[in-house]
Amino acid sequence: AQSVTQLDSQVPVFEEAPVELRCNYSSSVSVYLFWYVQYPNQGLQLLLKYLSGSTLVESINGFEAEFNKSQTSFHLRKPSVHISDTAEYFCAVSGGTMGGGSQGNLIFGKGTKLSVKP
Amino acid sequence: KAGVTQTPRYLIKTRGQQVTLSCSPISGHRSVSWYQQTPGQGLQFLFEYFSETQRNKGNFPGRFSGRQFSNSRSEMNVSTLELGDSALYLCASSLGQLRTTGELFFGEGSRLTVL
């Protein structure tokens, strides 16, 4: 079965500092990988995704993530964070090449709360 | 294009009651998934509907049920509410089935409090 582990539940960081949010997954099949962000009192929004091709994917607001198949990781990075990046970030995996059944859904990690301080 | 709309946004119920939550997906999206979000368990998959049929189901008791209508709108129902059902219930839509696209568009959720 697939699972997702986000190694840090909370990450405090100062504004303009770099940040890395870690995500590891376990799956016996090819996967699609996602990062979602949730701002307070809102639903989740897709930040970036890896489906195939280049292992480095970028979002429009400066975040990037690299798919590392050998380490089964999909860590999220940003070289310089802003106060507005304060939110909870969720890593998710879906069995992209599997047929239906219980593996056909998106499995989320427990989330990492990023707190950016001035 | 309008996003995913969930109603009601907030509701309070007492133990033993039942509740129905509604979700209107993005126009053209045929798949609707439901998730329960709690501080302790995080996001847990409830079920997915595609073309009015339940395609996937998570590990929740039979008190949790859902359906999808011909216009892709979906409802989920929880009967005989328990205190532990207090949570944010998130609906998400996607163009195709999750197993083929994997990308979800979420609503803002319905926050259920059970007293």
Side-chain angles (χ1 to χ4, degrees):
Chain A
Q2 296 168 332
S3 67
V4 178
T5 302
Q6 291 185 244
L7 298 163
D8 306 297
S9 60
Q10 297 189 48
V11 173
V13 65
F14 287 105
E15 194 173 19
E16 297 184 7
V19 71
E20 178 180 80
L21 307 183
R22 296 179 292 170
C23 172
N24 288 89
Y25 68 93
S26 66
S27 176
S28 58
V29 297
S30 299
V31 295
Y32 295 157
L33 293 159
F34 305 83
W35 276 98
Y36 283 82
V37 58
Q38 185 177 33
Y39 297 102
N41 299 314
Q42 294 186 25
L44 279 73
Q45 303 172 29
L46 180 66
L47 189 59
L48 45 77
K49 60 184 177 184
Y50 170 78
L51 303 181
S52 64
S54 173
T55 57
L56 183 66
V57 290
E58 299 176 351
S59 72
I60 58 173
N61 56 356
F63 282 95
E64 64 178 31
E66 186 163 17
F67 170 55
N68 188 319
K69 188 173 182 179
S70 63
Q71 296 186 5
T72 60
S73 68
F74 192 56
H75 300 332
L76 181 70
R77 303 183 183 95
K78 189 170 185 180
S80 176
V81 294
H82 302 288
I83 298 286
S84 59
D85 293 324
T86 295
E88 189 160 17
Y89 293 79
F90 293 89
C91 181
V93 61
S94 121
T97 61
M98 296 194 66
S102 62
Q103 295 298 319
N105 66 76
L106 205 57
I107 305 296
F108 286 87
K110 291 201 179 289
T112 298
K113 291 184 178 177
L114 175 64
S115 174
V116 182
K117 304 176 187 303
Chain B
K1 190 184 256 191
V4 178
T5 305
Q6 290 188 246
T7 57
R9 289 290 315 278
Y10 303 92
L11 66 166
I12 300 174
K13 294 285 186 179
T14 57
R15 280 183 299 173
Q17 288 186 309
Q18 74 165 13
V19 65
T20 299
L21 308 178
S22 179
C23 172
S24 293
I26 291 172
S27 177
H29 284 193
R30 297 171 61 194
S31 170
V32 173
S33 298
W34 289 89
Y35 284 82
Q36 181 195 66
Q37 186 178 23
T38 58
Q41 298 298 318
L43 282 152
Q44 293 187 288
F45 173 74
L46 281 157
F47 26 66
E48 179 196 7
Y49 286 87
F50 181 80
S51 294
E52 302 178 63
T53 302
Q54 187 180 91
R55 303 291 175 156
N56 287 298
K57 190 177 190 305
N59 295 322
F60 278 82
R63 301 186 296 107
F64 291 81
S65 63
R67 59 178 175 169
Q68 186 180 35
F69 303 95
S70 58
N71 61 358
S72 294
R73 191 177 69 85
S74 176
E75 289 181 347
M76 69 162 283
N77 185 78
V78 187
S79 62
T80 319
L81 283 167
E82 301 176 359
L83 294 178
D85 296 332
S86 293
L88 181 66
Y89 290 88
L90 291 165
C91 167
S93 72
S94 60
L95 200 56
Q97 275 189 265
L98 269 179
R99 63 184 175 91
T100 56
T101 69
E103 181 176 347
L104 294 174
F105 295 82
F106 282 85
E108 294 188 318
S110 293
R111 185 167 294 281
L112 170 66
T113 301
V114 182
L115 302 177

